Amino acid sequence: MARSTLPMALLAGLCVAISSAQAADPVAPVLNPEPASGWIISLGGTAQLGPKYDGASKAGLSGMPSISWRRVGEDAGFSSPDDGLDYALYETKTFSFGPVASFRSGRYSGTDVKLTGLRDLPWTIEAGAFAEFWPIQDRLRTRIEIRQGFHGHHGIVADLSADWVEKFGAFTLSGGPRLSLGDKAFMRKNFGVSAGEAAANGWLTAYRAQGGLKSAGVGAALDYEWSPAWTTTTFVKYERLLDSADTSPIVRVLGQRDQVTFGLGATYSFKIGG
């Protein structure tokens, strides 16, 4: 915490001024608190129930950790539960950008008999860059993430979002539209079916997916600050698969185009240094 100090010389001067009959009107001393020091570290995690893979009709559980930090005295910045894990290299009150990373779960033929014959799609780490802009400061945030896949797929994905943010005491309500795109490599890996896979599967026909729109939807979250240390978050996200994703037999025959995710998260914040 910041402390205020008063030099002994100033105290002595004040005593003389108060005791003197000819002293002028007293002037209140100006206190110069020490600047706040140290860092606030926020560690959190979310558990979510959503599609087992893009286009799936069955839901599964997954989780994602989070970490952020800020100087003591700085306000905690806004983030949405579906944001990637990012770090701002440049940041003002209305604009920021920097690297970002995200995790995408895989699709495995052994988890569903209807996936028999399809190649496994392993989990993927996606890394790239993000940019945020607040057209209305502290109220309306727009964000874009562009990420390259590593391991499971090697395509490029782009997620665009906008969130209106309202605070009601300890509550913070946010939400807005979502749009997701993928290049040809990403779409074919996730939604394409080769002739060999179609023959081995029996339910599906061969399909060659194209790059472009993947989905559009909306997301919403409600945060509650129980104390300066603890905050919990509940959220829901709806996506409607579009274009090549929507017409894929993986979606039309085995899955569904409407994708809904529910989640619950918690964050613990503590101070270090200072």
Side-chain angles (χ1 to χ4, degrees):
M1 296 179 58
R3 296 176 299 165
S4 299
T5 58
L6 204 61
M8 294 301 297
L10 180 56
L11 285 173
L14 286 173
C15 292
V16 172
I18 292 172
S19 62
S20 174
Q22 297 181 345
D25 292 339
V27 178
V30 177
L31 304 181
N32 298 312
E34 296 177 358
S37 60
W39 295 84
I40 301 295
I41 307 298
S42 297
L43 300 176
T46 59
Q48 59 185 39
L49 179 67
K52 288 187 173 182
Y53 54 87
D54 282 332
S57 58
K58 294 183 178 180
L61 287 171
S62 62
M64 179 66 68
S66 66
I67 181 171
S68 63
W69 55 88
R70 66 185 190 276
R71 291 189 179 277
V72 171
E74 291 181 356
D75 292 333
F78 169 79
S79 64
S80 175
D82 57 350
D83 289 350
L85 186 64
D86 60 43
Y87 177 74
L89 294 177
Y90 174 82
E91 186 173 19
T92 68
K93 291 183 177 180
T94 58
F95 179 75
S96 62
F97 73 87
V100 66
S102 185
F103 175 82
R104 190 180 298 271
S105 58
R107 184 188 71 209
Y108 302 94
S109 59
T111 61
D112 190 336
V113 65
K114 291 186 177 180
L115 296 175
T116 299
L118 295 182
R119 65 191 182 281
D120 287 343
L121 178 59
W123 56 265
T124 305
I125 297 295
E126 297 172 349
F130 83 96
E132 279 187 7
F133 174 62
W134 291 79
I136 304 176
Q137 189 175 335
D138 298 327
R139 285 296 183 89
L140 178 61
R141 183 198 75 158
T142 59
R143 178 181 174 98
I144 182 172
E145 295 184 14
I146 300 176
R147 306 182 304 271
Q148 165 80 52
F150 299 92
H151 183 57
H153 76 81
H154 297 276
I156 297 174
V157 295
D159 290 332
L160 296 86
S161 62
D163 288 279
W164 185 264
V165 182
E166 286 283 355
K167 293 182 179 294
F168 307 94
F171 290 94
T172 300
L173 178 64
S174 63
R178 303 289 191 264
L179 189 68
S180 185
L181 304 92
D183 70 354
K184 182 170 61 176
F186 171 81
M187 298 295 285
R188 289 186 177 174
K189 193 78 170 182
N190 284 270
F191 301 103
V193 181
S194 69
E197 288 175 314
N201 177 268
W203 286 289
L204 304 178
T205 57
Y207 180 74
R208 195 174 181 84
Q210 301 299 318
L213 286 175
K214 190 203 81 169
S215 64
V218 63
L222 181 64
D223 296 349
Y224 184 74
E225 186 177 357
W226 297 89
S227 70
W230 284 100
T231 301
T232 55
T233 303
T234 57
F235 63 94
V236 61
K237 182 178 180 179
Y238 166 77
E239 296 175 285
R240 177 66 175 259
L241 297 179
L242 303 171
D243 294 351
S244 275
D246 174 33
T247 55
S248 167
I250 293 176
V251 175
R252 289 299 181 96
V253 178
L254 305 183
Q256 61 185 29
R257 67 182 72 176
D258 297 310
Q259 307 275 280
V260 181
T261 301
F262 300 94
L264 177 65
T267 301
Y268 176 68
S269 299
F270 57 93
K271 178 185 174 183
I272 61 172

